[in-house]
Amino acid sequence: MTHHHLEIDSLRIALDGTVLLELDAHIGPGEILTVMGPSGSGKSTLLAWLAGFLTGDFEASGHAHLDGRDITHLPAERRGIGLLFQDPLLFPHLSVAGNLRFGMPRATRDKPRQVETALEQIGLTGFGDRDPATLSGGQKARVALMRLLLSRPCAVLLDEPFSKLDTHLRQEMRQLVFTQLRQAGLPSLLVTHDRDDAAAAGGEVIELTH
């Protein structure tokens, strides 16, 4: 297993001359850094900067390094960062297996056994031919997680991924997601409003205050 590291060095992001956030952080293999704060404090802006989607309205300085490689100015598709959102964002025109294959590197897409094994890992054995529309919210969240892992990211960003789940399902998905990320040795950054999310993540917590 490759051990990945994500570093944020001297990040400073401003909008119209007002500083939104300043941050230095190092996230080691399997570690989860949680960033909390009220709406407008810069959480989504931080994710956009790391993922490569920050718009030109913002002034950003500082660097992001992934496994020692400076990714600050790389296009999003070359950064090696995976994202998990509030919504599963499954492709409605693809089966469950098709959604998983979409996340896989091209060279491995013709290996049906890999898809079957992935479904087994998330407790969805036999679901490959199902239409995503027939899945429950928790099942969709599991497929989204496995699609992300199959894409072989070097780091993961989690944007309030549990916020639309009910209490019981939220606890179940926290355990599944954090366990999978730790086992894969992926440095992860979680943005959330929920202190229970932060506690379950078990890592450092940074609170943005403005």
Side-chain angles (χ1 to χ4, degrees):
M1 181 175 67
T2 304
H3 293 290
H4 301 288
H5 296 261
L6 177 63
E7 295 182 62
I8 301 169
D9 300 320
S10 304
L11 173 61
R12 184 179 187 272
I13 300 178
L15 180 64
D16 297 327
T18 300
V19 176
L20 296 180
L21 66 94
E22 295 179 296
L23 185 65
D24 284 275
H26 175 268
I27 312 171
E31 294 179 354
I32 301 162
L33 170 66
T34 300
V35 176
M36 302 185 70
S39 297
S41 61
K43 300 188 305 297
S44 296
T45 306
L46 170 61
L47 292 185
W49 179 77
L50 278 168
F53 301 130
L54 192 65
T55 64
D57 302 340
F58 294 90
E59 308 149 37
S61 60
H63 292 270
H65 292 91
L66 185 52
D67 299 338
R69 181 176 63 123
D70 191 337
I71 62 170
T72 311
H73 302 295
L74 291 179
E77 67 274 11
R78 290 182 52 207
R79 294 192 176 207
I81 291 180
L83 294 98
L84 202 61
F85 298 100
Q86 293 179 13
D87 296 304
L89 302 178
L90 301 182
F91 298 111
H93 63 289
L94 297 177
S95 65
V96 168
N99 269 277
L100 294 182
R101 277 194 295 271
F102 183 88
M104 296 163 66
R106 289 186 182 277
T108 62
R109 287 184 187 176
D110 295 327
K111 297 181 178 178
R113 182 60 199 152
Q114 189 169 352
V115 171
E116 291 169 19
T117 301
L119 288 170
E120 288 169 14
Q121 276 187 264
I122 54 174
L124 295 177
T125 300
F127 277 65
D129 292 333
R130 291 274 293 269
D131 182 331
T134 68
L135 303 183
S136 68
Q139 289 167 340
K140 290 177 182 176
R142 287 169 177 265
V143 174
L145 168 65
M146 186 49 66
R147 182 178 63 184
L148 167 70
L149 294 173
L150 287 172
S151 71
R152 298 181 184 173
C154 298
V156 172
L157 306 179
L158 305 160
D159 187 5
E160 301 268 7
F162 315 115
S163 62
K164 293 191 175 181
L165 303 175
D166 63 41
T167 303
H168 174 72
L169 193 54
R170 181 181 283 223
Q171 292 172 345
E172 181 183 307
M173 283 305 300
R174 279 190 197 115
Q175 183 174 1
L176 177 68
V177 170
F178 296 148
T179 298
Q180 292 281 346
L181 293 175
R182 289 189 189 104
Q183 288 178 348
L186 293 171
S188 304
L189 190 149
L190 167 69
V191 158
T192 183
H193 288 91
D194 191 318
R195 294 198 176 277
D196 289 337
D197 287 353
E204 181 185 357
V205 178
I206 293 176
E207 298 212 29
L208 304 179
T209 55
H210 58 81

